């Protein structure tokens, strides 16, 4: 296994993730990508569930296609390996807005308010498992 020394720490960071880590990353990313692509498609096509949910959250339904377009742009950045961290950061911001919206409305904590946090975790987990730079941000390898 090739290692890289973290610039701020003396401990090495593994460059090659294990087979289990690679498969965990693939499954986590696939779940997040399918869910977010489905959600973006509903919005871009302006289907009734997206319009109704947006209206219930207190937003004008005219923004629905714009939200879908933003989601598709973030998703395109996320699925391209070279820009995946940028996509994850943008998704984190988008999902943070969703958390704020649900918190403002007093929505149920686990099923509505924190759900975007769970989606964000599914987005970041593959990057953590595959990319030593992301692991180095969290802390030194053990």
């Amino acid at each position: 296994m090739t290692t890289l020394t973290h610039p701020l720490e003396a401990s090495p960071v593994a460059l090659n993730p294990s087979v289990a880590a690679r498969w965990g990353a693939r499954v986590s990313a696939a779940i997040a990508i399918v869910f977010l692509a489905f959600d973006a498609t509903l919005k871009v096509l302006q289907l009734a569930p997206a319009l109704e949910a947006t209206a219930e959250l207190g937003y004008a339904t005219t923004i629905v296609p714009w939200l879908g377009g933003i989601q598709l742009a973030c998703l395109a950045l996320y699925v391209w390996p070279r820009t995946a961290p940028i996509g994850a950061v943008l998704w984190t911001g988008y999902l943070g807005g969703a958390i704020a919206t649900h918190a403002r409305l007093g929505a149920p904590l686990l099923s509505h308010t924190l759900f975007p946090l769970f989606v964000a975790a599914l987005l970041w987990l593959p990057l953590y498992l595959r990319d030593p730079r992301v692991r180095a941000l969290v802390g030194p390898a053990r």
Side-chain angles (χ1 to χ4, degrees), residues 5-11 136-137 140:
T5 302
H6 185 278
L8 300 177
E9 301 287 336
S11 61
L137 289 172

Side-chain angles (χ1 to χ4, degrees), residues 108-115 118:
L109 185 65
L110 290 176
S111 63
H112 291 71
T113 305
L114 293 181
F115 184 77
F118 306 144

Side-chain angles (χ1 to χ4, degrees), residues 112-126:
H112 291 71
T113 305
L114 293 181
F115 184 77
L117 181 67
F118 306 144
V119 174
L122 286 175
L123 288 169
W124 279 101
L125 180 62

Side-chain angles (χ1 to χ4, degrees), residues 40-102:
T41 302
L42 289 177
K43 287 180 173 78
V44 168
L45 297 177
Q46 299 182 51
L47 298 179
L51 296 173
E52 292 166 8
T54 302
E56 287 176 12
L57 294 173
Y59 293 107
T61 57
T62 56
I63 68 165
V64 170
W66 288 99
L67 292 175
I70 291 168
Q71 287 181 317
L72 288 176
C74 292
L75 197 57
L77 288 170
Y78 182 75
V79 299
W80 188 260
R82 179 170 250 170
T83 59
I86 295 167
V89 168
L90 293 173
W91 268 117
T92 302
Y94 183 91
L95 293 168
I99 291 170
T101 296
H102 286 291

